[in-house]
Amino acid sequence: MTETPALHALWPAPLADGTVHATVTVPGSKSVTNRALVLAALAAEPGWVRRPLRSRDSQLMSDALRALGVGIEETASSSSGDGAGGEAWRVIPAALHGPATVDVGNAGTVMRFLPPVATLAAGDIRFDGDPRSYERPLGQVISALRTLGARIDDDGRGALPLTVQGGGALEGGVVEIDASNSSQFVSALLLSGPRFNQGVEVRHTGTTLPSMPHIRMTVEMLRAAGAQVDTPEAGGEPNVWRVAPSALLGRDVVVEPDLSNAQPFLAAALITGGTVTIRDWPRRTTQPGDELRRIFTEMGGSCELTDAGLVFTGSGKIHGIDVDLGEVGELTPGIAAVAALADSPSTLRGVAHLRLHETDRLAALTAEINGLGGEVTETADGLHIRPRPLHGGVFHTYDDHRMATAGAVIGLAVEGVQIENVATTAKTLPDFPKMWARMLSGAGA
């Protein structure tokens, strides 16, 4: 890595003293929560988002929508139509307006999904965020919105900070975009597309398109809200998505558990030869995290989907894996952590785009695992991991939530691992240290 963060707030990663047996309730999906909030804000009538993820990223999204004039009432709810209780957010659409300032933090969904929304507001909407957000790719979204009729002042940077000069509407139409660096570029345009005068036709021109499950999630949620969406999977042109102009329905959405955030808990069962049950695992989902069932089974575990949730059991052995993670790149840090403890080498492919995430995840994983005695080498599009005996030391997180949980996974099997700034897990997994401790105690999480 070219930059080493300051050493602070070291958290001793707990060492597992036996097999882990626990039942875990994972908070709601960030990806579903933030898409549901955007669609509810653009709807023609009020709606509900139930069991939302309450984390830094979702709070940034809700605060941003409030700044644009959307009403969001946070309440406790006894039940919805399908019996889902717990926290619920009532979203009341309104005429979007500025002037307003949006803090995106370092949340990709906020920095990419909301500039298209801001074009529909009357007035100037300024976007700013954490220093790392200035380095994350956004130029394709900016240029696409300009093609569709938006006025955006970014001083030629193609990145944050920027100001969207909202005119209360956007013409829309056909736009070409290279989404090789992030599928969020496509989702950003599709989510607001029903509100554009001509809708939107997004034509991806790049050679690769990572994280396709997230685009499928966007399409499914749009259709559920009443939008007409044509996709390549439905017999349309390859790499072309069309959204017709229409009003969106105010819906009652129950947010699924975040399956990617279940990863460290499933990894605990795999590493210790124990059993972990993840409550409410959906039988059908567009979340990339569902691939953990296949990947961790190949690495040595077994799983069963039951009425209680996903029951995952480790065999006590961890095998290396050769896998293309192009569609599920967010799982890479956790898989790399498990692979570093395996009995054979692993190759993780198809994830060159991770160099542009919260941090350069490929460089970060290489530096931190090697810092504990590992042997990880970067490839053009991923990592090659040759297991070596590991030792304790500081595992830096680079303000990246998935780096923090990856370090905790290694700490289960390696004594003396200290995680720098474990609090960064609050981005998508609030109270992670407490959940981790409860899982290890057998009390569940």
Side-chain angles (χ1 to χ4, degrees), residues 60-96:
L60 288 165
M61 181 66 84
S62 60
D63 287 348
L65 291 170
R66 286 188 179 104
L68 296 178
V70 177
I72 302 178
E73 301 171 353
E74 302 180 11
T75 66
S77 172
S78 58
S79 67
S80 71
D82 60 4
E87 187 171 5
W89 295 349
R90 176 75 162 166
V91 182
I92 305 169
L96 304 177

Side-chain angles (χ1 to χ4, degrees), residues 41-299:
L42 296 176
E45 56 194 352
W48 287 94
V49 180
R50 301 183 191 272
R51 293 184 182 172
L53 173 68
R54 180 181 286 279
S55 70
R56 188 187 185 212
D57 276 20
S58 59
Q59 196 64 53
L60 288 165
M61 181 66 84
S62 60
D63 287 348
L65 291 170
R66 286 188 179 104
L68 296 178
V70 177
I72 302 178
E73 301 171 353
E74 302 180 11
T75 66
S77 172
S78 58
S79 67
S80 71
D82 60 4
E87 187 171 5
W89 295 349
R90 176 75 162 166
V91 182
I92 305 169
L96 304 177
H97 62 80
T101 298
V102 169
D103 176 12
V104 308
N106 192 19
T109 52
V110 182
M111 73 178 69
R112 290 159 184 157
F113 292 179
L114 288 192
V117 175
T119 67
L120 304 171
D124 288 356
I125 312 297
R126 178 170 173 78
F127 289 82
D128 208 338
D130 297 351
R132 172 62 179 173
S133 71
Y134 295 4
E135 303 171 17
R136 298 186 67 182
L138 190 60
Q140 290 289 325
V141 174
I142 295 170
S143 60
L145 289 174
R146 285 178 175 146
T147 298
L148 298 174
R151 296 168 58 196
I152 300 174
D153 178 12
D154 65 345
D155 290 332
R157 288 183 301 270
L160 291 170
L162 60 85
T163 299
V164 176
Q165 300 171 17
L170 193 70
E171 190 59 24
V174 180
V175 65
E176 293 187 346
I177 189 169
D178 183 350
S180 300
N181 288 332
S182 176
S183 67
Q184 289 178 354
F185 298 170
V186 174
S187 288
L189 298 171
L190 299 182
L191 285 167
S192 292
R195 290 286 305 272
F196 299 161
N197 294 341
Q198 297 183 35
V200 70
E201 179 179 305
V202 181
R203 308 181 75 88
H204 167 58
T205 61
T207 56
T208 62
L209 185 56
S211 302
M212 272 297 298
H214 280 124
I215 296 179
R216 296 186 193 111
M217 177 187 294
T218 297
V219 169
E220 282 205 3
M221 294 183 71
L222 275 163
R223 286 173 172 162
Q228 179 182 329
V229 188
D230 295 328
T231 68
E233 294 90 343
E237 294 179 60
N239 293 324
V240 177
W241 294 262
R242 296 183 182 90
V243 180
S246 69
L248 293 174
L249 306 174
R251 298 186 59 235
D252 197 325
V253 178
V254 180
V255 178
E256 298 174 351
D258 192 315
L259 306 187
S260 294
N261 277 338
Q263 183 177 40
F265 305 100
L266 297 176
L270 184 58
I271 289 168
T272 68
T275 298
V276 168
T277 299
I278 306 295
R279 288 192 182 100
D280 301 321
W281 194 286
R283 292 188 178 274
R284 181 186 176 279
T285 181
T286 54
Q287 287 192 63
D290 195 45
E291 276 294 288
L292 287 168
R293 291 191 290 156
R294 176 185 65 83
I295 293 168
F296 276 175
T297 294
E298 190 173 334
M299 296 186 79

